[in-house]
Structures are given as structure tokens and as C-alpha cells.
Amino acid sequence: MAYKSLLTVLTDRAIAEPPLAALIALAREFDAHAEALCLGVDRTQTGYYYAGANALILQETLERANAEAAELLDYANGILGSAGVRWSTEEGVAQIADLGRHVAYRARFSDLVVMPKPYGKDRGAEVEPIVEAALFEGRAPVLVVPDEGDVNPHPSTIIAAWNESVEALAAIRRALPFLKRADLVRVVIIDPPKHGPERSDPGGLLSQMLARHGVRCEIDVLSKTMSRVSDVLNRHAVDTAAEMIVMGAYGHSRFREAILGGATRNMLEQAKVPVFMAH
């Protein structure tokens, strides 16, 4: 198994460079096809304007969205065209409330979606729903790349966050092309339940399954010494020089994560290395 169809969705020129660079590096590593969907986002909320204003506002925002899409397309063509990989680009315009449909359709036919961090400075409101649409409606794994630093397409050390959940197992299965290439996969378990099915051997069956795929792994059982699981994972990634974190996405509802926070949201806000997620 390998990733042969790679996709990124670009909506903002200011944050387009990291995912494009990662897309190219992964296309070279897996001999894959790199595709960039360049979307101009129409952010109008027509119901909030007085009667008679809608036509003027819609025309102006539509022209702006078309201009943004054309700018992104030119930029992506220039980057991918000189990268020496198989590639394609497409432009389009989508209303912000309808982004999910466009992204999910493309993500369904992609092996891996590469996206910039959805949270942080100068992020548009559209980046988060694009990541969620790829995960939930597109059923594709998503690799979220940091703003700084090059993405290693062949990470030597990977952290696989394990909490016995369906989401964690789905992410680990979808990440097998990375895991099999790594020198070491650290299966990280934070405060395993004392009365769970793995109480006597945390991560044992998972490591056995991975070993049968040729994955070299070790099990790290950690205490939750910080208030958030994501902080413990990020600190362990620094301590072990890990180059990627694999984790299940949105174990709680997306609404709860948006309002109260959660491991997925906190990880995507703070991570300094690429985060591979699946649901």
C-alpha cells in the first residue's frame, strides 16, 4: 500500500507554500500524483443584508473570489510545474457554507489530503471546515503540516497516539505507508485505564499487529503530567525527536471540540511537526 493520489486544497496564498512543499515531497517519495484544488471562497452571508443590496454584494464578492482562485491557480501551476512530479490543478469558487461538498468530492478519490494548520494567526474561517470535510465527508486521512520547517516525507521516528479508540486505530491503519518506512514507531499511551482490556499489556496487541507489517515499534506509557493530552504528546515528540504524530481525530463531537476544546483542536493549534489524522 502507498499513497498514489495526493490532494491539497488552497484558499489563501499566504498559507499555500507549506502544503504545496509537503505535497511535492510526498509525491516524490511515493511516486504519486499531486493535485491542487484552488478555491476562491465567497464569504457572503446574504441573509444579513438589507433588501436590494444582495445583487451588488454578490457580484462584488463573486468577482473577488474568482480573482483569488485565479491567483492561487497561477501560483500552484508555477510551483508544481517546476517540481518534476506528476501534477494537476483545478480552480473553482465556492460559498463558505458549501465548501464541504466541493472538498469531500475530491477527498473521496484521494489517498491523502495535505493541509495547512487550521488554527493560528491569519487563518481564514474556511480552513477548519475544509479539514473536517476531508475527514468526515471525504473519509480521507489528512496530514496537517506546520507553517515552519520542511516536512520529511520519510520520517525516521513517528509517534502513534493510542487510547484504544476506533479513531486512533483508523489513523494508525491509514498511516501504515509512513509507519512501515520509519526507523522507529513509538506507540504512546497516556494514563492507560486500570480496568480496561489492555490493563496488563497496554498497546501489546497493537504493537503485535504493526510488527506483522514489518513496523519497528516500542511502547511508551506516559503519565498525564500536564493538563492536556496534546501537551504531553507534543513534549514527548520534542524529547524523542519525532518527525510526525499519528492520532485519531475528533473523538468527541466537532461542536464540543469547537466550544470546549479537545485533543484534536489543541494538537492542531500547538504541533510543531506534521500531524496525521483519520476518523
Side-chain angles (χ1 to χ4, degrees):
M1 175 185 175
Y3 306 116
K4 291 299 182 180
S5 296
L6 307 175
L7 172 70
T8 189
V9 182
L10 307 178
T11 58
D12 187 346
R13 169 67 179 81
I15 58 174
E17 183 178 352
L20 274 176
L23 192 75
I24 291 168
L26 291 168
R28 290 172 178 160
E29 173 71 19
F30 292 101
D31 188 25
H33 183 96
E35 180 179 6
L37 177 59
C38 306
L39 287 180
V41 181
D42 179 358
R43 298 175 176 82
T44 52
Q45 304 266 352
T46 56
Y48 291 95
Y49 301 113
Y50 60 85
N54 286 352
L56 292 174
I57 293 171
L58 285 172
Q59 181 64 28
E60 179 183 347
T61 56
L62 184 60
E63 290 175 356
R64 184 184 304 121
N66 275 305
E68 290 175 353
E71 179 187 5
L72 285 165
L73 184 70
D74 288 342
Y75 177 70
N77 285 340
I79 298 295
L80 292 172
S82 60
V85 298
R86 297 191 303 277
W87 63 280
S88 60
T89 56
E90 184 176 350
E91 67 175 320
V93 171
Q95 287 192 315
I96 192 165
D98 193 36
L99 272 173
R101 180 171 61 90
H102 296 272
V103 173
Y105 179 75
R106 289 294 183 185
R108 286 191 194 112
F109 304 101
S110 302
D111 297 321
L112 180 64
V113 179
V114 181
M115 290 297 300
K117 292 174 68 172
Y119 310 110
K121 185 180 179 182
D122 300 326
R123 293 296 188 278
E126 72 276 0
V127 186
E128 180 184 25
I130 287 174
V131 171
E132 293 182 354
L135 284 168
F136 287 86
E137 285 75 44
R139 295 295 178 180
V142 175
L143 182 68
V144 176
V145 299
D147 297 335
E148 299 87 16
D150 296 329
V151 173
N152 184 355
H154 190 158
S156 59
T157 301
I158 299 175
I159 282 179
W162 178 238
N163 61 358
E164 302 180 30
S165 70
V166 172
E167 292 82 8
L169 186 57
I172 289 168
R173 288 186 189 277
R174 302 297 288 274
L176 272 173
F178 285 116
L179 303 182
K180 291 166 71 173
R181 283 169 161 79
D183 294 334
L184 178 63
V185 174
R186 310 190 79 97
V187 177
V188 175
I189 306 162
I190 300 173
D191 278 355
K194 296 179 180 178
H195 304 290
E198 296 187 349
R199 60 188 179 276
S200 61
D201 185 19
L205 287 177
L206 175 62
S207 63
Q208 176 180 275
M209 182 194 80
L210 292 175
R212 288 170 178 168
H213 282 279
V215 177
R216 294 167 291 279
C217 54
E218 294 181 359
I219 298 174
D220 297 340
V221 178
L222 307 178
S223 297
K224 189 181 176 185
T225 56
M226 307 174 79
S227 59
R228 299 186 301 193
V229 168
S230 57
D231 292 334
V232 178
L233 286 173
N234 277 318
R235 184 180 65 181
H236 197 59
V238 172
D239 292 344
T240 59
E243 296 174 283
M244 181 181 290
I245 296 173
V246 175
M247 62 181 290
Y250 298 101
H252 300 296
S253 72
R254 286 174 282 175
F255 176 78
R256 173 174 173 173
E257 294 248 352
I259 301 302
L260 300 177
T264 305
R265 183 184 179 96
N266 294 333
M267 176 61 71
L268 296 183
E269 287 177 339
Q270 305 296 331
K272 303 300 182 185
V273 298
V275 178
F276 182 104
M277 301 186 304
H279 182 82

